[in-house]
Amino acid sequence: MKKRLLAALMASALMLSMAACSSGDTDPSAQGGGGTEAQEGPYQISMILKTNAAEFWNVIQAGAEAYAEEHPDLVELDIKGPPGETYYEEQLNMIQTDLAVDAYDGYLIAPLQSDAAATAIANTEKPVVAFDTDIESDKCLSFVGTGNKEAAKQGAKAAVEAARAAGWEEIQCIEIAGVQGDATNEARMQGYREGITEAGGVFLDEEVQYANAVADQAVTCMEAIMNKYPDGVAIICSNNDDMAMAAARAAADNPAYENTIFLGFDGQQSACQAVLDGELTMTAAQNNFDIGYQAVETMVKILQGEDYDEVVDTGTEIITQENAAERLAKFDEWLA
């Protein structure tokens, strides 16, 4: 008798349990509404930098981490990058590997090669946001960064004004460029070209020197320029600050280049200090902390089904001796 009663009670409990499970499967409120499963815990987001071995990208990472620290219930980041900006295969492998990880809810990518990144993400069903450099793909839902062409154009116009103030009558500009074929490099070059031309200078296309975005190659490029132009050149513009500072140092003891305007791009801490110290003339500063912060913020909006901007322009500031100290103070906050 006791065995029959126990069996009946167990059967009853099993039926109630099955009914409860069935009810949960059909109750939209139990899955977050609309048949979509509710998010449990913070979103897992992969963030792939162009490199994790440069100050500019360290500040972007600091911005991304600041958002994550402010919203620990919303997001957890996995941030990585190759050793340098010419490690194309290494970064592509990172992208492909992370795309295959089911745990990630979304991907933030700063592509070294936009076409390769577009191919890599072609079959993903998860959201992708590009930052710093855009990815031309319908899988890329938003771009967060500086309008590279417009920022370079603003810097170029300011450089022409500075060259006139320094006494140059023939205002020619030679660019020490980054990686040939890179989309960001090409956008900045176009901006420099348009800015110099519109302000009344001459951009010497045939004299562009490619230094692969690294300082030591920029020194070699600057030495070649000085050999070919012994009487000086009004403006030397560079694809980034490291190259601009290297070029300025290489020409520091050459009297023909004493009044040359050296223009960088990025507005990194060392460049701002160099501007303040008179070693570099100016730099077109990206708000890279905001790039990192707003990239994560945009991804969270997408994952939560909120409205978001397809292009988030984080703005540009031309750093000269007048505002370099103010920019430096921001780094103390960003990298604290």
Side-chain angles (χ1 to χ4, degrees):
M1 181 68 180
K2 289 182 178 180
K3 290 182 179 180
R4 291 177 183 169
L5 178 59
L6 179 60
L9 289 172
M10 292 177 65
S12 177
L14 179 59
M15 292 177 64
L16 288 171
S17 174
M18 292 175 62
C21 289
S22 175
S23 174
D25 286 343
T26 57
D27 182 5
S29 65
Q31 297 183 345
T36 302
E37 187 175 352
Q39 174 71 23
E40 294 183 4
Y43 296 110
Q44 304 296 316
I45 298 175
S46 162
M47 185 174 198
I48 299 177
L49 311 172
K50 288 188 177 180
T51 178
N52 54 7
E55 179 190 282
F56 175 80
W57 295 98
N58 293 338
V59 175
I60 284 184
Q61 180 170 339
E65 291 173 340
Y67 183 93
E69 289 172 4
E70 292 174 12
H71 306 86
D73 57 325
L74 284 180
V75 61
E76 286 184 0
L77 297 174
D78 180 15
I79 305 176
K80 58 180 71 70
E85 292 191 33
T86 55
Y87 286 74
Y88 311 117
E89 290 299 323
E90 286 83 348
Q91 194 205 45
L92 183 58
N93 287 337
M94 290 177 181
I95 294 171
Q96 292 171 332
T97 298
D98 281 10
L99 286 168
V101 176
D102 290 338
Y104 291 128
D105 297 298
Y107 302 92
L108 301 172
I109 302 174
L112 286 172
Q113 293 179 310
S114 296
D115 291 345
T119 300
I121 67 174
N123 295 319
T124 186
E125 297 302 323
K126 296 178 181 178
V128 175
V129 170
F131 62 101
D132 182 71
T133 299
D134 203 358
I135 302 173
E136 294 295 331
S137 168
D138 58 355
K139 299 292 185 177
C140 183
L141 304 182
S142 180
F143 166 67
V144 181
T146 300
N148 284 286
K149 177 182 173 181
E150 185 59 33
K153 189 173 181 177
Q154 291 180 34
K157 289 183 174 181
V160 171
E161 292 181 12
R164 287 199 181 99
W168 289 92
E169 295 181 1
E170 184 180 22
I171 300 179
Q172 296 179 318
C173 174
I174 296 176
E175 180 181 2
I176 299 179
V179 179
Q180 192 166 10
D182 174 71
T184 298
N185 178 78
E186 295 302 319
R188 293 177 186 178
M189 184 183 295
Q190 182 64 21
Y192 284 144
R193 182 184 295 111
E194 291 184 8
I196 294 294
T197 303
E198 290 180 13
V202 178
F203 184 88
L204 301 178
D205 279 284
E206 69 278 7
E207 300 296 346
V208 170
Q209 303 274 331
Y210 286 95
N212 289 322
V214 294
D216 57 347
Q217 293 186 37
V219 171
T220 303
C221 292
M222 190 65 220
E223 290 172 347
I225 291 170
M226 289 188 290
N227 285 334
K228 188 169 183 178
Y229 291 86
D231 295 328
V233 176
I235 301 169
I236 301 294
C237 64
S238 296
N239 184 254
N240 66 26
D241 285 333
D242 288 338
M243 293 190 295
M245 290 186 290
R249 286 193 297 268
D253 295 328
N254 188 329
Y257 285 79
E258 182 179 0
N259 294 321
T260 294
I261 306 303
F262 287 91
L263 166 64
F265 196 109
D266 282 339
Q268 61 181 315
Q269 189 173 20
S270 54
C272 293
Q273 187 63 57
V275 170
L276 195 62
D277 295 340
E279 298 170 0
L280 181 67
T281 314
M282 59 180 61
T283 176
Q286 298 192 72
N287 293 318
N288 40 334
F289 183 91
D290 292 342
I291 291 175
Y293 189 99
Q294 293 187 44
V296 182
E297 182 179 51
T298 299
M299 177 59 75
V300 170
K301 288 180 179 179
I302 292 170
L303 290 169
Q304 292 189 318
E306 299 176 5
D307 292 336
Y308 65 93
D309 294 324
E310 293 184 2
V311 176
V312 180
D313 190 339
T314 51
T316 308
E317 184 179 12
I318 306 303
I319 304 301
T320 65
Q321 282 196 326
E322 295 179 356
N323 58 358
E326 182 181 351
R327 172 82 174 182
L328 281 168
K330 293 180 180 178
F331 281 96
D332 293 334
E333 301 174 13
W334 295 338
L335 299 176

